[in-house]
């Protein structure tokens, strides 16, 4: 899955089977506990196909949201070209009313009322192709663009604290938080067989950027200053940027009535975070992280009647560099490697899988 829109495009009648792998073994990262593998059916028919869907809904505040999706596909021989366009304009309310009563020597009542709404404008586009030159060999590539041109939250909050029937403290706040985000992602793959060797190769590129502004105005009254309200304003700005390149190659050969797999992975991640507050209540942030992960593995699977054996060994090496205001911080930068062996035996006993 390259992004969440893969599930938006996938139709239930296109699914051939779903597997849950509880013993992923050395093929996956050491912290992966299980894997869900969805296998789709082979597409049927040739030529052009179009699918368009429009959806509207009305929320409890009588605000209208709309969604539009359009798919186009061309299939000829082993070639399959597809495109997907999606757009959403949504209003999502998130209102809260909370009252807390504390019965001590005095009765304390705290109330909070929050009226807020999130507004999103989300265009999305994807184009991809796949090609099957012959049975058992598949290759393809895709590129997608996912943007939140408007990702805005706005609302008002009111807090009150009462001691018995006396107002001890109250405050009101108004906030506006507009933002924008963009995601570019691409994928290329080859799954096939060269002689007796099965090949599974994937490579991905991912870029994410998000900018958020926040304006908060708060007015507070307390027992000592009932006649004079204290007003404060805070403005902040956050800019996050992330990029990743990741590749994985798995080769499999038959061995001793089982299957021996071996291969490796490489990924490189860059993250940058800028955060500024006016007035400067905390230190402004300017952080950068560079991380590279390399791994190699070998994995063997074989069945002995109803018994399934899986054994593997994986090595992972990580190089993590941390920068603060473009200054390298050695204390928070690390390099480390580790070996991860795995062994699993699976056996059904009646209707129980052990």
């Amino acid at each position: 899955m390259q992004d969440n829109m893969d599930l938006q495009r996938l139709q239930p009648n296109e699914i051939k089977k779903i597997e849950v792998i509880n013993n992923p073994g050395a093929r996956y990262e050491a912290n992966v506990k299980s894997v869900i593998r969805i296998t789709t059916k082979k597409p049927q028919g040739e030529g052009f196909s179009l699918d368009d869907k429009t959806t509207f809904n009305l929320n409890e505040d009588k605000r209208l949201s709309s969604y539009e999706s359009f798919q186009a596909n061309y299939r000829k021989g082993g070639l399959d070209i597809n495109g997907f366009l999606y757009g959403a304009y949504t209003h999502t309310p998130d209102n809260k009313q909370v009252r807390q009563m504390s019965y001590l020597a005095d009765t304390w009542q705290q109330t909070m009322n929050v009226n807020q709404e999130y507004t999103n404008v989300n265009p999305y586009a994807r184009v991809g192709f796949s090609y099957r030159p012959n049975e058992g060999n598949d290759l393809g590539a895709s590129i997608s663009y996912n943007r939140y041109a408007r990702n805005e939250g706005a609302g008002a909050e009111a807090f009150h604290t009462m001691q018995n029937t006396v107002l001890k403290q109250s405050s009101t706040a108004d906030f506006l938080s507009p933002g924008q985000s963009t995601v570019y992602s691409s994928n290329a793959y080859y799954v096939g067989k060269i002689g007796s060797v099965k090949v599974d190769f994937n490579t991905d590129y991912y870029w994410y950027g998000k900018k958020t502004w926040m304006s908060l105005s708060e007015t507070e009254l307390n027992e000592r200053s009932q006649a004079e309200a204290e007003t404060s304003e805070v403005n902040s700005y956050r800019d996050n940027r992330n990029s990743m390149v990741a590749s994985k190659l798995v080769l499999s050969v038959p061995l001793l009535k089982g299957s021996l797999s071996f291969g490796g992975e490489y990924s490189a991640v860059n993250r940058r975070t800028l955060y500024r507050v006016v007035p400067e209540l905390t230190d402004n942030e300017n952080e950068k992280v560079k991380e590279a992960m390399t791994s190699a593995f070998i994995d063997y699977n074989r069945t002995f009647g109803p018994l399934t054996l899986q054994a593997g060994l994986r090595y992972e090496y990580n190089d993590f560099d941390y920068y603060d205001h473009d200054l390298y911080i050695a204390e928070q930068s690390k390099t480390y490697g580790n070996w991860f062996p795995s062994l699993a035996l699976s056996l059904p006993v009646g209707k129980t899988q052990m």
Side-chain angles (χ1 to χ4, degrees), residues 5 20 46 58 71 127 208 237 265 285 299 329 335 343 345:
M5 285 296 178
V20 179
E46 294 188 345
L58 198 65
Q71 296 190 65
V127 62
Y208 170 77
Y237 168 71
E265 292 181 74
E285 296 179 14
D299 189 77
I329 308 298
T335 58
L343 175 65
L345 298 171

Side-chain angles (χ1 to χ4, degrees), residues 96-103 107-114 158-162 164:
K96 300 179 178 69
Q97 293 83 37
V98 178
R99 185 177 67 168
Q100 177 178 308
M101 304 294 293
S102 301
Y103 299 99
T107 300
W108 292 85
Q109 177 179 296
Q110 295 170 294
T111 59
M112 177 182 71
N113 293 295
V114 180
F159 301 91
H160 301 282
T161 301
M162 303 281 292
N164 298 321

Side-chain angles (χ1 to χ4, degrees), residues 43-268:
Q44 301 295 320
E46 294 188 345
F48 284 100
S49 66
L50 303 174
D51 181 83
D52 185 77
K53 180 168 65 176
T54 303
T55 306
F56 297 96
N57 65 41
L58 198 65
N59 64 33
E60 56 265 37
D61 291 338
K62 298 182 180 180
R63 297 271 277 169
L64 186 69
S65 296
S66 59
Y67 309 82
E68 179 76 24
S69 65
F70 174 77
Q71 296 190 65
N73 196 91
Y74 173 75
R75 189 179 302 116
K76 181 69 175 179
L79 178 66
D80 194 307
I81 302 173
N82 56 81
F84 181 72
L85 295 174
Y86 173 86
Y89 181 41
T90 62
H91 301 282
T92 307
D94 186 21
N95 301 323
K96 300 179 178 69
Q97 293 83 37
V98 178
R99 185 177 67 168
Q100 177 178 308
M101 304 294 293
S102 301
Y103 299 99
L104 305 171
D106 296 312
T107 300
W108 292 85
Q109 177 179 296
Q110 295 170 294
T111 59
M112 177 182 71
N113 293 295
V114 180
N115 295 301
Q116 58 188 356
E117 182 182 72
Y118 298 98
T119 302
N120 290 310
V121 177
N122 176 208
Y124 173 91
R126 179 186 184 274
V127 62
F129 85 94
S130 62
Y131 179 60
R132 173 173 287 191
N134 51 58
E135 190 69 29
N137 285 280
D138 292 272
L139 57 93
S142 65
I143 184 170
S144 66
Y145 168 81
N146 189 11
R147 177 164 173 79
Y148 280 86
R150 183 182 177 188
N151 187 10
E152 182 180 282
E157 304 172 350
F159 301 91
H160 301 282
T161 301
M162 303 281 292
Q163 181 183 14
N164 298 321
T165 58
V166 178
L167 178 65
K168 304 296 289 186
Q169 186 177 23
S170 67
S171 65
T172 59
D174 297 295
F175 72 91
L176 175 65
S177 179
Q180 298 173 342
S181 67
T182 305
V183 174
Y184 299 98
S185 63
S186 61
N187 167 263
Y189 69 90
Y190 169 71
V191 180
K193 197 171 183 180
I194 302 175
S196 61
V197 180
K198 293 182 179 179
V199 181
D200 188 337
F201 174 73
N202 261 278
T203 185
D204 288 273
Y205 173 75
Y206 180 90
W207 187 93
Y208 170 77
K210 183 175 182 179
K211 296 180 179 181
T212 306
W213 296 262
M214 179 75 161
S215 297
L216 175 66
S217 177
E218 184 176 19
T219 301
E220 183 175 355
L221 289 169
N222 56 49
E223 187 179 23
R224 294 183 302 275
S225 59
Q226 289 291 331
E228 184 177 346
E230 299 177 5
T231 301
S232 60
E233 294 187 2
V234 177
N235 296 283
S236 64
Y237 168 71
R238 184 181 295 276
D239 185 358
N240 292 335
R241 284 170 286 166
N242 308 276
S243 65
M244 181 189 71
V245 177
S247 299
K248 182 174 183 176
L249 174 65
V250 181
L251 304 175
S252 303
V253 295
L255 178 67
L256 301 175
K257 298 182 181 181
S259 175
L260 178 69
S261 300
F262 53 94
E265 292 181 74
Y266 173 77
S267 65

Side-chain angles (χ1 to χ4, degrees), residues 285-353:
E285 296 179 14
N286 185 350
E287 300 176 334
K288 182 170 65 174
V289 169
K290 292 184 177 181
E291 184 174 9
M293 188 277 285
T294 305
S295 67
F297 66 88
I298 185 168
D299 189 77
Y300 182 71
N301 286 269
R302 181 178 172 180
T303 58
F304 299 89
L307 177 67
T308 299
L309 165 71
Q310 177 273 319
L313 182 64
R314 181 182 181 91
Y315 178 76
E316 294 183 2
Y317 178 79
N318 283 267
D319 186 354
F320 180 90
D321 295 329
Y322 176 79
Y323 299 81
D324 187 7
H325 290 80
D326 293 323
L327 180 65
Y328 177 75
I329 308 298
E331 293 80 5
Q332 292 177 249
S333 302
K334 305 179 187 303
T335 58
Y336 53 93
N338 210 346
W339 294 91
F340 299 93
S342 63
L343 175 65
L345 298 171
S346 302
L347 178 70
V349 179
K351 294 183 178 181
T352 303
Q353 179 70 29

